[in-house]
């Protein structure tokens, strides 16, 4: 064995030759799932947070129950509940013409992740909403701003400033948690790794995949830091 | 001065009533803060409200622009019934500006953005003319060189002057001041009072809750003294400061003027 071959074996380079393209596809699937579920979950999370802070009691309790359930049970259980549990009513879904969705592991995973992250993000946003001082709402009222303008121009920018850090954490958690979708037959990054391992019994594939997750998380961390710095520029003294 | 005022009153028709409050009462829980307040303000009047803390002066002016709901009585501002539904008086309340004790500038917006927001969003003013107007008003309060800065980068006095400019950007007919200098250090009080004096001299209708008796003496047309949720004195400043009629006002003045 030449030195080059030894090196290639040691670093599992032939793994890349055989599974590289699939691993890339898996990574793309992971990123798609995370991006879609986080952004839809963000909209849902804001609505849930508004519900939790609203004056309307029944809405408050409804949103609280939602958050209570989705934060209080394992994400894996929620995924199985949707994929196997709701999937078992295939007659019903077929009648509604929705079997194409609920029979599809990709859609079920997306649904589970969206519903789950929405609950966590709702709690983050609720904290953000409560941090905006009443005085700012009074100033907005005194200026004649209506509720929509106040929400988008006064409330939300301030909420985003305090929530960008926690939201970044939640995004990182979701990226890592997304590995469990491999359990419902999806070939995400982890799914491809499992497949490759089952065929080659070369554990290095897990090392490489872990490094890819690490890299993705590092990119997110940097992005969030940069965003945070941009959003909080008003808190720093000027250089003028 | 006095005779020319009388002459003016003879020649000109009486100024219209812009604020008309009748029997306004309000409770915080079981505690009654306002006891059947009656108050009429005509256009161009400059009124200073004073009284000990808890006397209801802030609550009274906060009722005028609906920051506090009135529970009993009738409030008319610029002909609109403020005690009725909010949609009913929205247009009228756009003409009422307010300056707060804590400035209440939006911290995530620059000085200029703070001033431009409402004219663009509420009045539908084009952005560049709103900016031009804002810069002109910022110049008037002497803070135009800081237009790019964020509120946290300004001193208290500067922030309050921005808050005044921001309110003026809506071109209000009435300005309410709720203890505008109470949160300022003594040096900054003067710069804010100067702006308010300038505003008073421009003929703006002005209601101001303040403990600055020098300011009251200088600009007020009427001084209202509140105690226990009632207006117990309503006099021109000379009369109020030299011969207060109620023992409460006498005690208050003795305290404040030391």
């Amino acid at each position: 064995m030449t030195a080059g071959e030894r090196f290639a074996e040691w670093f599992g380079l032939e793994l890349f030759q055989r599974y590289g393209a699939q691993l890339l596809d898996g990574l793309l699937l992971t990123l798609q799932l995370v991006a879609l579920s986080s952004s839809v979950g963000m909209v849902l999370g804001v609505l849930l947070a508004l519900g939790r802070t609203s004056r309307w009691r029944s809405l408050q309790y409804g949103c609280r129950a939602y958050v209570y359930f989705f934060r209080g049970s394992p994400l894996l259980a929620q995924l199985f509940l949707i994929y196997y549990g709701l999937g078992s009513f295939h007659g019903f879904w077929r009648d509604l013409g929705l079997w194409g969705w609920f029979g599809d592991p990709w859609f079920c995973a997306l649904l589970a992740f969206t519903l789950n992250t929405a609950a966590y993000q709702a709690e983050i946003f609720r904290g953000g909403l409560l941090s905006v001082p009443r005085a700012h709402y009074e100033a907005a009222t005194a200026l004649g701003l209506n509720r929509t303008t106040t929400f988008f121009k006064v409330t939300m920018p301030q909420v985003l400033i305090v929530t960008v850090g926690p939201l970044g954490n939640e995004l990182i958690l979701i990226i890592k948690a997304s590995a469990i979708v491999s359990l419902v037959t999806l070939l995400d990054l982890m799914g491809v790794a499992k497949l490759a391992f089952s065929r080659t019994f070369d554990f290095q594939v897990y090392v490489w995949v872990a490094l890819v997750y690490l890299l993705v998380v590092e990119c997110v961390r940097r992005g969030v830091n940069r965003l945070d710095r941009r959003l909080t520029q008003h808190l720093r003294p000027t250089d003028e | 001065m006095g005779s020319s005022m009388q002459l003016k009153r003879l020649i000109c028709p009486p100024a219209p009533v812009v604020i008309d409050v009748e029997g306004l009462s309000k409770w915080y829980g079981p505690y009654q803060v306002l006891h059947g307040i009656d108050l009429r303000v005509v256009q161009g009047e400059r009124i200073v409200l004073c009284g000990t803390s808890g006397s209801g002066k802030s609550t009274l002016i906060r009722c005028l622009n609906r920051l506090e709901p009135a529970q009993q009585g009738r409030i008319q501002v610029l002909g609109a019934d403020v005690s009725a539904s909010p949609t009913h008086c929205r247009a009228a309340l756009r003409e009422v500006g307010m300056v707060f004790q804590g400035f209440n500038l939006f911290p995530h917006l620059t000085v200029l953005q703070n001033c431009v927001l409402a004219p663009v969003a509420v009045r539908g003013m084009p952005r560049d003319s709103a900016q031009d107007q804002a810069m002109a008003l910022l110049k008037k309060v002497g803070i135009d060189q800081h237009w790019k800065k964020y509120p946290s980068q300004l001193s208290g006095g500067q922030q309050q002057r921005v808050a005044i400019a921001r309110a003026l950007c809506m071109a209000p007919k009435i300005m309410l001041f709720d203890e505008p200098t109470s949160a300022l250090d003594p040096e900054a009080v003067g710069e804010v009072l100067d702006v308010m004096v300038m505003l008073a001299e421009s003929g703006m209708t002005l209601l101001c809750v303040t403990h600055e008796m020098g300011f009251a003496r200088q600009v007020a047309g009427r001084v209202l003294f509140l105690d226990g949720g009632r207006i117990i004195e309503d006099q021109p400043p000379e009369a109020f400061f030299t011969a207060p009629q109620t023992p409460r006002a006498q005690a208050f003045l003795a305290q404040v003027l030391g």
Side-chain angles (χ1 to χ4, degrees):
Chain A
M1 202 186 267
T2 66
E5 277 168 352
R6 198 179 296 256
F7 178 83
E9 191 195 42
W10 208 77
F11 283 97
L13 287 188
E14 71 182 307
L15 264 176
F16 274 101
Q17 276 167 5
R18 280 175 64 188
Y19 294 105
Q22 270 181 288
L23 281 170
L24 193 66
D25 284 345
L27 175 63
L28 284 179
L29 190 140
T30 296
L31 293 181
Q32 269 173 6
L33 179 79
V34 169
L36 265 173
S37 60
S38 296
S39 40
V40 179
M42 182 180 277
V43 176
L44 258 178
V46 172
L47 294 176
L48 282 165
L50 286 175
R52 282 210 62 178
T53 51
S54 93
R55 264 171 297 179
W56 210 22
R57 275 290 157 82
S58 48
L59 193 62
Q60 248 182 52
Y61 288 132
C63 295
R64 209 158 121 188
Y66 177 95
V67 171
Y68 186 79
F69 175 76
F70 280 96
R71 270 201 333 169
S73 57
L75 179 53
L76 184 60
Q78 292 161 19
L79 179 62
F80 281 179
L81 213 56
I82 289 174
Y83 183 60
Y84 295 118
L86 294 181
S88 64
F89 300 105
H90 54 267
F92 174 70
W93 298 120
R94 224 170 251 139
D95 290 344
L96 285 180
L98 293 175
W99 179 238
W101 290 3
F102 285 96
D104 177 13
W106 158 251
F107 176 78
C108 290
L110 186 63
L111 186 63
F113 274 74
T114 304
L115 295 180
N116 183 272
T117 190
Y120 280 93
Q121 292 192 38
E123 283 305 277
I124 295 171
F125 281 122
R126 188 173 71 99
L129 286 172
L130 294 178
S131 80
V132 177
R134 212 182 115 92
H136 294 171
Y137 295 113
E138 290 185 350
T141 309
L143 284 168
L145 301 179
N146 62 28
R147 288 175 68 168
T148 317
T149 313
T150 304
F151 180 72
F152 285 109
K153 299 282 184 173
V154 177
T155 313
M156 261 337 252
Q158 299 195 66
V159 169
L160 285 177
I161 288 165
V162 293
T163 55
V164 63
L167 285 176
N169 279 340
E170 172 60 14
L171 184 59
I172 286 169
L173 288 174
I174 284 293
I175 290 170
K176 293 185 298 179
S178 71
I180 67 170
V181 300
S182 61
L183 296 177
V184 291
T185 74
L186 280 179
L187 287 177
D188 71 322
L189 188 56
M190 190 65 186
V192 175
K194 271 172 63 186
L195 185 75
F197 180 74
S198 67
R199 288 187 187 157
T200 61
F201 292 106
D202 184 353
F203 77 93
Q204 287 191 37
V205 67
Y206 287 128
V207 176
W208 284 109
V209 161
L211 284 178
V212 174
Y213 276 112
L214 200 66
L215 193 72
V216 172
V217 167
E218 175 63 14
C219 290
V220 169
R221 196 185 64 83
R222 280 172 187 245
V224 168
N225 272 357
R226 183 168 293 186
L227 190 66
D228 190 37
R229 229 170 310 143
R230 241 187 67 184
L231 287 173
T232 54
Q233 57 177 323
H234 62 284
L235 297 176
R236 287 190 295 278
T238 40
D239 27 330
E240 273 177 64
Chain B
M1 180 73 181
S3 64
S4 81
M5 285 278 278
Q6 279 168 358
L7 195 65
K8 205 173 158 193
R9 212 164 275 165
L10 279 175
I11 299 165
C12 304
V17 174
V18 286
I19 294 175
D20 194 354
V21 178
E22 263 175 48
L24 167 63
S25 290
K26 182 169 175 61
W27 288 260
Y28 287 134
Y31 177 70
Q32 187 166 5
V33 253
L34 296 176
H35 288 264
I37 299 271
D38 295 314
L39 174 66
R40 301 185 104 196
V41 180
V42 301
Q43 194 182 330
E45 254 193 309
R46 301 181 297 277
I47 296 180
V48 164
L49 295 93
C50 55
T52 51
S53 66
S55 60
K57 51 199 191 309
S58 283
T59 308
L60 171 57
I61 70 163
R62 287 164 60 86
C63 283
L64 297 180
N65 67 347
R66 261 192 98 91
L67 285 185
E68 303 280 354
Q71 282 153 338
Q72 214 175 72
R74 198 177 56 93
I75 305 171
Q76 279 207 323
V77 173
L78 298 163
D81 190 351
V82 174
S83 31
S85 75
T87 44
H88 198 72
C89 57
R90 190 166 289 152
L93 288 186
R94 273 179 206 162
E95 314 301 327
V96 181
M98 187 164 198
V99 174
F100 299 86
Q101 181 177 356
F103 330 132
N104 300 9
L105 294 174
F106 303 128
H108 59 292
L109 299 178
T110 63
V111 165
L112 185 64
Q113 286 167 339
N114 261 287
C115 293
V116 166
L117 177 60
V120 171
V122 180
R123 296 237 194 254
M125 202 186 251
R127 187 163 291 275
D128 11 333
S129 41
Q131 282 181 347
D132 291 345
Q133 178 202 269
M135 284 309 284
L137 285 165
L138 286 170
K139 192 170 178 136
K140 214 166 149 187
V141 301
I143 207 122
D144 51 324
Q145 71 275 26
H146 299 304
W147 64 277
K148 255 187 190 168
K149 290 191 180 171
Y150 288 94
S152 63
Q153 296 161 340
L154 301 175
S155 72
Q158 290 171 327
Q159 288 190 52
Q160 193 61 298
R161 283 186 281 153
V162 172
I164 294 173
R166 176 175 75 172
L168 291 178
C169 280
M170 283 296 282
K173 298 200 171 88
I174 301 169
M175 282 285 282
L176 308 175
F177 290 86
D178 188 4
E179 303 204 29
T181 56
S182 301
L184 299 174
D185 52 77
E187 285 164 71
V189 170
E191 65 188 66
V192 170
L193 288 181
D194 286 346
V195 170
M196 291 169 62
V197 170
M198 187 174 72
L199 199 59
E201 283 165 354
S202 73
M204 175 74 77
T205 310
L206 204 124
L207 276 86
C208 181
V209 174
T210 185
H211 296 295
E212 294 296 327
M213 292 302 129
F215 171 78
R217 219 186 263 261
Q218 190 184 348
V219 309
R222 273 158 79 188
V223 177
L224 307 185
F225 181 78
L226 276 84
D227 185 58
R230 295 186 176 85
I231 297 175
I232 60 169
E233 300 229 7
D234 181 353
Q235 306 207 64
E238 314 87 67
F240 177 74
F241 286 110
T242 51
Q245 281 161 2
T246 56
R248 291 289 303 162
Q250 285 160 11
F252 173 80
L253 283 173
Q255 275 267 305
V256 177
L257 301 174

